[in-house]
Amino acid sequence: MSVVEKAGANVLKAAFAKKDKKNKKDKKKRDAVDMTATRQMGEPEKIDLDFEAMSHHGFYNPQERSNQLALEMRAVKRRLLRRIGYLRSSGERQAFRTPGKQRNMILVTSTRAGEGKTFTAINLALSLALEDQIETLLIDADLSRPKIRERLGLPEAAGLHDRILDPKIDVESLGWRLIDAPLTILPEGARAERPTDLFATASAQDMWTELSTANPQRLVIIDAPPVLAATDAVMLAKYADEIVFVVEANSTPEAAVAAAVDELIDINPNVSLMLNRCQIGAGGAHYGSYEYYDRSEAASAPAGKPSSEG
Ligand SMILES: Nc1ncnc2c1ncn2[C@@H]1O[C@H](COP(=O)(O)OP(=O)(O)OP(=O)(O)O)[C@@H](O)[C@H]1O
Ligand SMILES: [Mg+2]
């Protein structure tokens, strides 16, 4: 284990030792959704992505299944899918069947800007959908600095913010659907002035519940803002079943990671650290790489999603 890896594990251990007792009894409880409103039904627009062009920027390419990134993402996915209960320890798939019982909302965040949240969220979603054929929804919930559209070469379009403002909009009709893979992309939508206030609204709460329960088999990957920039990520942590906390290896100060993780686990104890851009072997990884820590190494089994009443 490298010094950075040990530091990561120690941060989690210390944080959980402090907060685990208090948070252990958090119970999963989802608000009933008012389905009576008339929805504007439709389907997301069908698109193709230019994987070849994207791979030049380090993104997952379905044609390159044995490169460093594909191998690393595979290891990350396996552990993540086990943690949320989608994979048994034998490696066998155990699909979620009952709405409300699934643990399918995965929040990707980090301490501060530019540490690889969007990069990680996109690669995770691509890899789940294209390699494993798992139904996946990728959401840009970084309303202050949305980047998913730009990275994927997609135009401005209605999205998350529009649905929060108008609950009559059918969120499942927004965004884009890949032609050849079970991936839907929900963009940020209209420009938001104060995202934190938005995420605190009843409409946002209902929307996250809807997104989670609409399809029990679907994994939802949420690209969130950094924890120390504003309170958005902590607000979003309420709705997540699992939080992937990206740490930029050899760069993010340990004290800042500890402060951010402390804030998160006060709200949701299911936090896993993921090292981004860490060096593997003598030459280091070309596109960066991932090491994944989960709290089972520091504490016990994952707890349920906290009450959205918070
Ligand atoms: N492992 C990696 N290998 C190669 N490039 C990477 C890696 N991780 C991140 N990058 C690149 O670093 C830049 C910052 O990453 P990214 O936008 O994902 O960070 P972020 O945490 O989402 O930032 P923000 O807080 O501004 O949203 C991007 O250009 C991204 O493509
Ligand atoms: Mg980002």
Side-chain angles (χ1 to χ4, degrees):
M1 216 187 236
S2 73
V3 175
V4 177
E5 287 167 345
K6 275 193 193 135
N10 286 341
V11 166
L12 267 194
K13 268 185 200 151
F16 283 122
K18 231 163 68 187
K19 303 285 192 302
D20 223 36
K21 208 170 159 197
K22 179 170 149 263
N23 287 338
K24 220 182 220 166
K25 293 186 179 161
D26 277 356
K27 275 191 84 191
K28 186 184 289 183
K29 187 175 153 196
R30 294 169 195 270
D31 282 353
V33 187
D34 176 12
M35 295 296 206
T36 53
T38 319
R39 303 266 183 228
Q40 297 160 11
M41 304 303 274
E43 287 198 345
E45 187 188 336
K46 298 272 192 334
I47 52 155
D48 262 333
L49 291 176
D50 186 349
F51 295 115
E52 186 60 37
M54 283 165 53
S55 72
H56 295 306
H57 298 282
F59 290 111
Y60 175 85
N61 183 346
Q63 303 304 323
E64 294 171 13
R65 291 185 173 231
S66 51
N67 70 7
Q68 184 73 40
L69 180 74
L71 297 175
E72 288 157 7
M73 287 315 294
R74 224 164 276 154
V76 166
K77 278 185 305 183
R78 252 198 323 270
R79 298 186 73 175
L80 182 60
L81 294 176
R82 278 204 193 114
R83 279 182 56 75
I84 61 169
Y86 201 97
L87 277 188
R88 295 197 172 108
S89 45
S90 60
E92 201 186 327
R93 228 179 250 192
Q94 180 174 270
F96 304 120
R97 299 192 194 286
T98 321
K101 298 278 182 206
Q102 72 277 40
R103 300 185 70 248
N104 60 352
M105 304 288 275
I106 298 156
L107 188 77
V108 181
T109 187
S110 76
T111 310
R112 44 187 203 184
E115 296 179 300
K117 294 176 289 297
T118 302
F119 183 83
T120 301
I122 291 176
N123 275 329
L124 198 51
L126 290 176
S127 174
L128 285 165
L130 289 139
E131 187 170 86
D132 304 299
Q133 299 296 312
I134 292 176
E135 184 65 44
T136 305
L137 173 64
L138 171 65
I139 302 179
D140 198 335
D142 190 345
L143 298 182
S144 306
R145 294 158 62 98
K147 288 281 162 54
I148 289 182
R149 281 191 305 100
E150 180 194 309
R151 300 281 153 76
L152 302 184
L154 296 166
E156 281 186 18
L160 194 70
H161 185 196
D162 302 87
R163 160 59 183 82
I164 296 172
L165 293 178
D166 180 2
K168 288 201 292 299
I169 293 177
D170 171 26
V171 70
E172 301 290 337
S173 71
L174 301 175
W176 301 275
R177 172 81 179 175
L178 259 59
I179 290 169
D180 291 326
L183 176 65
T184 305
I185 300 150
L186 177 61
E188 75 284 3
R191 199 125 197 87
E193 297 277 315
R194 303 177 61 181
T196 307
D197 294 349
L198 282 172
F199 288 139
T201 60
S203 173
Q205 280 193 18
D206 287 350
M207 177 193 67
W208 292 115
T209 307
E210 258 181 72
L211 286 167
S212 171
T213 53
N215 180 353
Q217 315 281 7
R218 178 173 71 183
L219 297 190
V220 182
I221 311 287
I222 305 163
D223 181 16
V227 173
L228 297 187
T231 54
D232 313 14
V234 173
M235 282 298 310
L236 288 167
K238 282 188 191 181
Y239 308 112
D241 293 298
E242 185 69 24
I243 299 169
V244 173
F245 190 91
V246 178
V247 177
E248 191 172 6
N250 304 315
S251 162
T252 317
E254 196 180 324
V257 175
V261 169
D262 265 3
E263 275 198 51
L264 282 176
I265 66 172
D266 262 345
I267 302 293
N268 188 334
N270 298 319
V271 180
S272 312
L273 294 193
M274 190 165 127
L275 294 188
N276 184 24
R277 294 160 158 170
C278 67
Q279 301 286 301
I280 287 188
H286 187 57
Y287 287 125
S289 55
Y290 303 96
E291 284 293 322
Y292 201 60
Y293 286 106
D294 64 46
R295 74 189 284 269
S296 58
E297 287 165 9
S300 53
K305 177 159 37 192
S307 161
S308 53
E309 284 157 6

